[in-house]
Amino acid sequence: MKDKGLLVLAIVGVAFAYFVFNFVGDVENEDIHKIESLNPSNAEERKKKEILEYYRQDVTGTPILDLSGVSIENAKRIWKESPTKKRIMQLFPNFHLMRDMIKLKLAPSEFRDLLLEKLSQIESDYLSGTISSYKAKEEIGNLK
């Protein structure tokens, strides 16, 4: 009788241990998947923070994108992800307003000069029918 009770207790103990280890393993796997799924947003948050570092306020308190002193390649990368680009692209195909907004929202820099020059080329090509609106938007957004 004593051996049967010990045997039952051992079986219950083994079943309990099996359940606990499987449950803990599943919880750990879920946590790992949650962390992995959060990593892209962490990367996106880091990108946003990095881009926000290039903004400063002008004398009126308006945020402007300041890419002075930044290499053209880095400036293109920052431009691609910036909220300023998104706002300016909403003005397409009004090139005059886009040009004015670029002058207002970007601090004077080599990149701003390049962007204005490229915008003039794209405007000329777009108005002459050489490129489509899709291609014009793509070229302004990507600055190839």
Side-chain angles (χ1 to χ4, degrees):
M1 186 82 172
K2 197 175 191 186
D3 290 334
K4 285 184 183 180
L6 191 57
L7 184 61
V8 169
L9 185 61
I11 291 173
V12 169
V14 168
F16 179 75
Y18 177 79
F19 172 76
V20 168
F21 286 122
N22 279 336
F23 179 74
V24 169
D26 289 345
V27 170
E28 285 177 350
N29 285 338
E30 284 180 29
D31 288 344
I32 289 171
H33 290 302
K34 283 180 186 176
I35 290 170
E36 287 173 352
S37 69
L38 291 177
N39 279 341
S41 70
N42 286 343
E44 289 174 22
E45 289 298 318
R46 271 187 262 122
K47 268 187 186 179
K48 286 180 186 177
K49 280 185 179 180
E50 178 189 351
I51 289 169
L52 289 177
E53 290 177 11
Y54 292 98
Y55 279 87
R56 65 175 173 81
Q57 291 186 347
D58 66 4
V59 292
T60 63
T62 306
I64 61 170
L65 184 58
D66 187 357
L67 297 173
S68 56
V70 177
S71 72
I72 293 294
E73 289 306 312
N74 278 340
K76 286 179 181 180
R77 183 181 53 79
I78 294 163
W79 166 253
K80 230 177 178 176
E81 303 293 328
S82 74
T84 301
K85 177 200 135 204
K86 291 175 180 104
R87 279 189 230 116
I88 291 170
M89 293 304 293
Q90 290 173 345
L91 299 172
F92 184 84
N94 190 333
F95 290 95
H96 180 70
L97 278 178
M98 291 174 78
R99 194 172 288 104
D100 288 347
M101 186 66 79
I102 289 169
K103 290 177 183 176
L104 286 172
K105 296 293 184 179
L106 271 81
S109 66
E110 186 179 341
F111 176 75
R112 185 177 94 165
D113 295 339
L114 173 76
L115 180 59
L116 289 169
E117 181 182 320
K118 188 71 172 171
L119 186 66
S120 293
Q121 290 173 343
I122 294 167
E123 178 183 18
S124 177
D125 290 345
Y126 176 74
L127 294 177
S128 69
T130 308
I131 61 173
S132 67
S133 63
Y134 175 79
K135 184 69 174 167
K137 285 180 184 179
E138 182 181 304
E139 286 188 22
I140 296 166
N142 294 330
L143 289 180
K144 295 179 182 179

